[in-house]
Amino acid sequence: MEAGTRTAEIVARLREHPVGAAIKDRGQLERALASPSAVLFILRGDGLELAPALRRIHAAGKLAAVHLDLVEGIGRDHVGVRWLIRAGADAVISSHGHLVRTVRASGVVAIQRLLLSDGASIAAGLAAVERAEPDLIEVLPGAILPHVRDLLAERVRVPLLAGGFIRSAADVDAALAAGAFAVSTSSPELWGRR
Amino acid sequence: MAPRLPEVLLEVKAGNSWPPRGHGLLLHHLDLDLLVRIAGHTEDPLVVDLDSVDGLSPDRRAAAFVIGRLGIGTIITRHAPVAAAAAALGGLALFRVFAFDSTGLERSFAAHPRSPGVGTAISPGLVLPYLAARDRAALSGPLVGYGLVRRWEEVEACRRAGADSVALARSGPEFSV
């Protein structure tokens, strides 16, 4: 499948179910598999042994985005990217532009994290995004997106995810109203929200 | 004795106009020469983000210079040994904790030295009202919200969320004091 087609599919799934499930442990994986969430974001775990979990996610009709920077055991390099793709990741997330470019070149969806800590970090992060050209951007902490949307508006040209400290339905609605097309959260009670 | 923090710190970086007198200032993203000039020309309480000063290495000697030579009582750093060293020198150190999501907060705060004289600068400051109460309660005080706070109502929200002090960025017409 072409990268553009994969991106379109993950975007379509998230538009239909705009709350993605952020997974940190096996218990959350089980709950997410039984939830309406269509896209699961794998934030922790043994990156070298993800293949069985990714097969279960696919068997449940869902897609999986794996965070290259956070899972353990995997090198933050092109070999690590290749390993995750072979294991079945539909999307790979990283804060590092050179890895995002590697993911894109590998034909899976590349999600670049844009970390919002201060004005300088936003400027540097946006410059890195422009160099890496990800398929999607995930801004963190997503809960503050409504406060800083004006700082991003002119320079973000790909669909925007919001993740981090989204803990209530009001947080979900505020992030979507501020321009995110979907959110990720580790709060299971929000996973079914449309 | 470690200095007291003002409730609001106006952020000052290279290129900003000189802020009005009578406010605490948080100096960041400037060079060492400008830092020395500002320190010599104001009586207002100063805080320095040590990691962002061009010309300074964020280490113990830099902390000693800022506290001992420049007389700046409070530093912010993400380097735990430097924070501990600054506190041992009698300054107030604010260990910078990045809160992008709950996992990141947990990892970042795990490096906090948790020693006397070392508080917490949480970035972005804007996130404070969105933290779970137990996460806020776990942060070592004094607690400063630092980063992306641009409006007075955001300052107030951070204060209500438990911040002892909040850094206010001063760019844009609505930030006049």
Side-chain angles (χ1 to χ4, degrees), chain A residues 37-105:
Chain A
S37 269
V39 180
L40 277 53
F41 295 79
I42 309 298
L43 303 186
R44 281 189 179 173
D46 183 345
L48 298 168
E49 301 291 348
L50 278 179
L54 297 178
R55 281 196 294 271
R56 291 188 64 206
I57 291 169
H58 291 153
K62 302 176 188 297
L63 301 176
V66 180
H67 200 308
L68 177 62
D69 304 341
L70 297 182
V71 293
E72 296 171 0
I74 288 280
R76 280 57 162 152
D77 53 32
H78 72 280
V79 180
V81 170
R82 198 168 63 207
W83 181 278
L84 289 182
I85 293 171
R86 275 207 307 265
D90 301 291
V92 175
I93 309 167
S94 178
S95 303
H96 304 293
H98 69 286
L99 294 174
V100 168
R101 284 195 299 275
T102 300
V103 173
R104 272 204 99 199

Side-chain angles (χ1 to χ4, degrees), chain B:
Chain B
M1 184 176 160
R4 284 177 58 83
L5 281 169
E7 291 181 3
V8 178
L9 293 161
L10 302 183
E11 291 189 30
V12 176
K13 60 183 178 181
N16 279 162
S17 58
W18 189 258
R21 292 195 181 278
H23 294 273
L25 306 177
L26 194 164
L27 312 175
H28 66 95
H29 292 93
L30 72 178
D31 67 38
L32 178 57
D33 293 336
L34 181 55
L35 175 66
V36 171
R37 284 206 302 277
I38 292 174
H41 284 85
T42 182
E43 299 297 317
D44 293 326
L46 298 179
V47 176
V48 178
D49 176 353
L50 198 72
D51 304 339
S52 73
V53 179
D54 289 340
L56 275 185
S57 169
D59 58 24
R60 295 166 199 237
R61 289 195 186 277
F65 176 82
V66 167
I67 293 168
R69 291 279 299 281
L70 301 185
I72 296 175
T74 306
I75 68 156
I76 294 174
T77 180
R78 63 179 180 276
H79 302 287
V82 181
L89 290 165
L92 171 61
L94 299 167
F95 182 70
R96 195 171 186 192
V97 169
F98 293 93
F100 299 119
D101 59 13
S102 53
T103 302
L105 173 61
E106 187 181 309
R107 289 185 179 193
S108 187
F109 190 63
H112 196 295
R114 293 181 176 83
S115 51
V118 182
T120 303
I122 190 160
S123 294
L126 262 184
V127 83
L128 266 170
Y130 297 95
L131 298 186
R134 66 176 183 282
D135 288 337
R136 280 201 302 267
L139 298 170
S140 302
L143 177 61
V144 176
Y146 172 29
L148 296 177
V149 177
R150 298 178 293 158
R151 304 173 179 93
W152 284 106
E153 59 267 30
E154 292 167 350
V155 171
E156 290 161 6
C158 290
R159 292 273 300 153
R160 284 195 300 274
D164 297 290
S165 181
V166 181
L168 177 66
R170 294 186 312 120
S171 56
E174 64 185 294
F175 311 129
S176 57
V177 178

